[in-house]
């Protein structure tokens, strides 16, 4: 990997680590201040939907301005915001509305940062290395997710949220400094003043572009399929699968999540250190087959009335491990292909539209899956998903991959 990517990933790593250390703090602070789960839930839902609405507009900005400057600027703004909040909290100048305002501003800043980093990556990494670059990002994200929350919870219990904000503010500033040294050629002719941008027309152009490009539509179909039917099961319903239908205690839910995290790291590592470009089609086909077989067998194991719970849970963990390995491999290959299939000048808004579509598909999948799992055992639902997935893989995904992956 080149120097630009090393600076890019260093910035992402320390910024992600600061975020994951801080992420546990605000829910705990809101709960301490209000003693209300309702307010906590409303804040979470509001931020999620707010990000969904603003993302396409921020994608337009990422296509009309210097993406490196946006990244650096958003990191510095985030750092200043965190340090300001740390000062206010340390001096007891804080209330619930100030926290809401902070979360809204931080949401805008972080979403614009994410959009710009997504769009700039193919400009600083050669196409043949893009899967490896995205895999490195996944490894960084998983390491941060593993290390950050326990560190954050410990520091919050001892020092309160101000120390979490202080750490996060410093990591943002360090990230911005590292990104300053990225060598990036920007076409100044594309620069527009904010008031000159027709957001409606540019978002509409992005939608037309997405509809027009056949390859992007194929890739988006697969992304929507994964988002609606696979992500909800393993991001939301694991406690139901393990505890309610599997018959295990809450401790085993945590162990199941650990097996999945290890699977994610293994999948990303296989792409980074083992997979070569000529083996990519094979990895893609096998990952889709294994992913759906793992879902199918997980559903069967849920019904397995074996007296030794350790053996049964080990079988469940193996299926979760295999699912996450194969899901990560398939997902990285598809998303990398999606990135390189978009023209550079429109990559920000198309990337934003893709994320919005993914999030909507995931919400629909969670709603439908929740309704079904409320009425029947998750084992039946997993078996249905596994069989359907094998059919989709055989009839759509594998034929597509022969010519395009």
């Amino acid at each position: 990997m080149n120097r630009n990517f090393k600076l890019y990933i260093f910035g992402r790593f320390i910024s992600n680590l600061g975020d994951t250390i801080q992420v546990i703090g605000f829910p705990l602070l809101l709960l301490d201040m209000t003693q209300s789960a309702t307010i906590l839930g409303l804040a979470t839902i509001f931020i999620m939907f707010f990000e969904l609405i603003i993302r396409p507009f921020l994608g337009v900005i990422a296509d009309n301005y210097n993406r490196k400057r946006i990244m650096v600027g958003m990191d510095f703004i985030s750092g200043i915001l965190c340090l300001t909040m740390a000062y206010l909290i340390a001096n007891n100048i804080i209330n619930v509305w100030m926290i809401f305002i902070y979360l809204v501003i931080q949401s805008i800043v972080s979403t614009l940062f994410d959009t710009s980093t997504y769009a700039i990556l193919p400009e600083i990494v050669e196409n043949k290395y893009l899967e490896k670059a995205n895999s490195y990002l996944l490894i960084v994200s998983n390491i941060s997710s593993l290390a950050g929350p326990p560190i954050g919870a410990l520091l919050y219990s001892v020092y309160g949220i101000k120390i979490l904000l202080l750490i996060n503010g410093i990591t943002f500033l360090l990230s911005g400094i590292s990104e300053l040294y990225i060598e990036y050629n920007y076409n100044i002719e594309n620069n527009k003043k904010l008031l000159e941008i027709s957001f409606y027309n540019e978002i509409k152009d992005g939608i037309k572009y997405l509809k027009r490009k056949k390859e992007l539509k194929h890739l988006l179909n697969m992304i929507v399929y994964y988002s609606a039917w696979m992500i909800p099961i393993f991001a939301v319903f694991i406690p139901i699968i393990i505890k309610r239908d599997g018959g295990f205690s809450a401790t085993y839910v945590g162990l199941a999540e650990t097996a999945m995290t290890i699977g994610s790291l293994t999948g990303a590592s296989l792409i980074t250190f083992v997979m070569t470009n000529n083996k990519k089609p094979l990895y893609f086909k096998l990952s889709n087959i294994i992913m759906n077989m793992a879902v199918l067998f997980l559903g069967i194991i849920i019904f397995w009335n074996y007296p030794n719970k350790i053996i049964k849970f080990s079988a469940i963990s193996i299926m979760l491990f295999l699912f996450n390995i194969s899901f990560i491999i398939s997902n990285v290959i598809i998303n990398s292909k999606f990135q390189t299939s978009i023209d550079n000048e429109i990559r920000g808004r198309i990337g934003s539209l893709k994320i919005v579509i993914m999030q909507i598909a995931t919400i629909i999948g969670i709603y439908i899956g929740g309704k079904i799992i409320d009425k029947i055992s998750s084992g039946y639902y997993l078996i249905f998903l596994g069989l359907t997935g094998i059919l989709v893989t055989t009839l759509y995904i594998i034929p597509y991959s022969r010519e395009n992956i």
Side-chain angles (χ1 to χ4, degrees):
M1 288 295 171
N2 59 34
R3 177 178 175 272
N4 277 342
F5 181 70
K6 289 176 182 176
L7 290 167
Y8 174 96
I9 201 165
F10 172 76
R12 291 295 299 270
F13 174 67
I14 57 176
S15 178
N16 282 351
L17 185 60
D19 270 345
T20 55
I21 288 172
Q22 180 197 292
V23 75
I24 198 169
F26 277 104
L28 290 172
L29 180 62
L30 278 171
L31 208 55
D32 287 343
M33 290 177 70
T34 66
Q35 301 300 313
S36 172
T38 301
I39 291 177
L40 181 58
L42 286 173
T44 305
I45 292 168
F46 175 77
I47 294 299
M48 285 175 62
F49 277 100
F50 181 72
E51 286 182 3
L52 203 64
I53 292 165
I54 65 168
R55 192 174 286 276
F57 297 93
L58 299 182
V60 172
I61 292 174
D63 286 335
N64 283 283
Y65 290 91
N66 186 313
R67 290 163 181 164
K68 174 187 164 181
R69 286 185 182 175
I70 292 174
M71 287 169 56
V72 173
M74 294 307 102
D75 264 342
F76 282 132
I77 290 171
S78 292
I80 292 166
L81 277 171
C82 287
L83 295 176
T84 302
M85 282 297 287
Y87 173 81
L88 293 173
I89 291 169
N91 289 277
N92 293 317
I93 314 170
I94 195 72
N95 58 44
V96 171
W97 287 110
M98 291 171 69
I99 294 171
F100 267 84
I101 291 167
Y102 166 80
L103 292 174
V104 167
I105 297 171
Q106 191 63 275
S107 174
I108 295 169
V109 170
S110 63
T111 304
L112 183 52
F113 175 85
D114 288 343
T115 303
S116 300
T117 54
Y118 174 88
I120 202 175
L121 185 59
E123 295 184 78
I124 61 174
V125 174
E126 292 180 58
N127 284 355
K128 63 182 178 180
Y129 296 122
L130 197 57
E131 283 90 3
K132 293 185 185 298
N134 279 313
S135 298
Y136 274 119
L137 290 173
L138 272 173
I139 291 170
V140 161
S141 177
N142 276 285
I143 291 171
S144 301
S145 297
L146 282 171
I151 295 171
L154 177 64
L155 290 173
Y156 182 89
S157 64
V158 178
Y159 301 106
I161 196 172
K162 58 184 179 292
I163 192 68
L164 307 186
L165 286 162
L166 179 64
I167 292 169
N168 202 20
I170 292 169
T171 61
F172 275 125
L173 296 177
L174 289 173
S175 175
I177 291 167
S178 73
E179 289 154 3
L180 278 171
Y181 294 96
I182 293 174
E183 295 177 4
Y184 176 64
N185 295 319
Y186 172 67
N187 182 3
I188 196 69
E189 292 177 5
N190 291 337
N191 198 36
K192 295 179 184 177
K193 293 180 180 178
L194 194 62
L195 294 175
E196 294 174 346
I197 299 173
S198 174
F199 286 93
Y200 173 77
N201 287 333
E202 296 211 19
I203 291 171
K204 189 170 71 173
D205 289 343
I207 294 170
K208 287 180 180 177
Y209 180 90
L210 200 52
K211 288 180 177 178
R212 189 171 65 248
K213 288 206 75 171
K214 189 177 178 181
E215 184 175 22
L216 287 180
K217 286 198 290 186
H218 280 300
L219 291 165
L220 195 58
N221 286 341
M222 287 185 270
I223 290 168
V224 167
Y225 165 69
Y226 293 141
S227 300
W229 304 121
M230 293 298 177
I231 292 176
I233 284 290
F234 297 94
V236 179
F237 299 132
I238 281 294
I240 295 173
I241 293 169
I242 302 298
K243 194 170 184 292
R244 190 195 74 180
D245 298 333
F248 296 94
S249 67
T251 304
Y252 286 89
V253 175
L255 293 173
E257 298 282 1
T258 301
M260 292 172 67
T261 302
I262 295 169
S264 296
L265 285 168
T266 305
S269 299
L270 283 172
I271 293 177
T272 305
F273 304 113
V274 178
M275 189 185 81
T276 55
N277 278 326
N278 62 323
K279 294 266 184 81
K280 196 193 314 180
L282 177 63
Y283 271 71
F284 183 70
K285 292 172 192 173
L286 283 176
S287 65
N288 275 280
I289 293 167
I290 292 169
M291 177 171 60
N292 289 291
M293 292 297 290
V295 173
L296 174 62
F297 281 108
L298 180 60
I300 293 169
I301 292 167
I302 293 297
F303 293 115
W304 185 28
N305 192 19
Y306 195 75
N308 190 322
K309 283 204 163 190
I310 299 299
I311 292 176
K312 181 178 178 179
F313 183 76
S314 297
I316 289 172
S317 297
I318 290 168
M319 292 304 111
L320 294 173
F321 174 76
L322 289 173
F323 172 85
N324 259 36
I325 288 178
S326 50
F327 178 79
I328 290 298
I329 291 172
S330 181
N331 204 38
V332 166
I333 291 172
I334 287 175
N335 280 289
S336 299
K337 181 71 175 175
F338 194 92
Q339 272 180 304
T340 56
S341 300
I342 309 168
D343 294 330
N344 184 49
E345 65 272 12
I346 202 168
R347 190 178 292 121
R349 77 196 85 159
I350 297 298
S352 295
L353 288 171
K354 183 201 78 170
I355 292 172
V356 169
I357 292 167
M358 280 177 62
Q359 289 174 331
I360 291 171
T362 302
I363 290 167
I364 292 169
I366 290 169
Y367 177 78
I368 293 172
K371 288 285 186 183
I372 293 171
I373 293 173
D374 273 346
K375 297 182 185 303
I376 63 172
S377 168
S378 59
Y380 290 117
Y381 191 52
L382 289 167
I383 290 169
F384 167 76
L385 286 181
L387 291 173
T388 306
I390 291 167
L391 194 64
V392 171
T393 298
T394 305
L395 298 179
Y396 186 79
I397 293 177
I398 290 179
Y400 168 81
S401 69
R402 288 186 187 130
E403 299 177 3
N404 299 282
I405 297 298

